[in-house]
Amino acid sequence: MPGMRRRLRPAAAQPRTVMGLWLRAMLLRQAEVRKKLSPQLNGGKIGFNRDEAGVVQAACELAVRRLWGSDYDVRDVSAAVSFMREANLQQGKEPHGQLEMEAVIRAALGETEVDLSGIPRPLAFEIQIVATGYAARVLALTEPEVDQLLMEAERTAFSRGWNPPSAA
């Protein structure tokens, strides 16, 4: 009606860190967005950023715990890792090791007896990204659910003392 203000819907809340937005683009299969964000990771430098890895670690923990819960069967984790590795092979990618992947996922599930000492932190980071993507796809997370998961991962990372760079 003339003279009436149009009511705007508030924008949906989204992650606010570069890593959170990159993960969002990955999980929502937004290749162009991910490609635009990639040069911003690690402050534009080649290498690994522990603060950004804190977001990935938290996202992995949240996603795999949502998928398997606290009363999971370790055989389900083994089967999922075998599936992920086979999918990588079919795409022509060299998969990460079965035992390393299982260890990283079991640690994300909260197992305290898992020995990660032989797994380099950048490798664990890569495995956490793969596991997060797998869990999100199996759970068929919607866009708002992805946003919620990643915003919680960012809050968790900050609460643990990480300082991932905010998106501009």
Side-chain angles (χ1 to χ4, degrees), residues 15 47 91 130 167:
Q91 294 172 6
V130 170

Side-chain angles (χ1 to χ4, degrees), residues 85-104:
R85 295 181 78 244
E86 183 62 32
N88 278 340
L89 283 172
Q90 289 177 2
Q91 294 172 6
K93 299 176 186 172
E94 183 66 30
H96 300 296
Q98 178 84 23
L99 296 178
E100 290 86 357
M101 290 184 74
E102 286 184 34
V104 169

Side-chain angles (χ1 to χ4, degrees), residues 89-146:
L89 283 172
Q90 289 177 2
Q91 294 172 6
K93 299 176 186 172
E94 183 66 30
H96 300 296
Q98 178 84 23
L99 296 178
E100 290 86 357
M101 290 184 74
E102 286 184 34
V104 169
I105 292 170
R106 289 172 59 197
L109 285 164
E111 283 191 40
T112 56
E113 300 299 316
V114 179
D115 181 12
L116 299 177
S117 63
I119 302 173
R121 189 68 190 110
L123 176 59
F125 173 74
E126 291 175 17
I127 292 169
Q128 289 165 340
I129 291 171
V130 170
T132 302
Y134 173 82
R137 282 180 182 74
V138 170
L139 291 166
L141 296 181
T142 64
E143 187 171 333
E145 290 170 328
V146 166

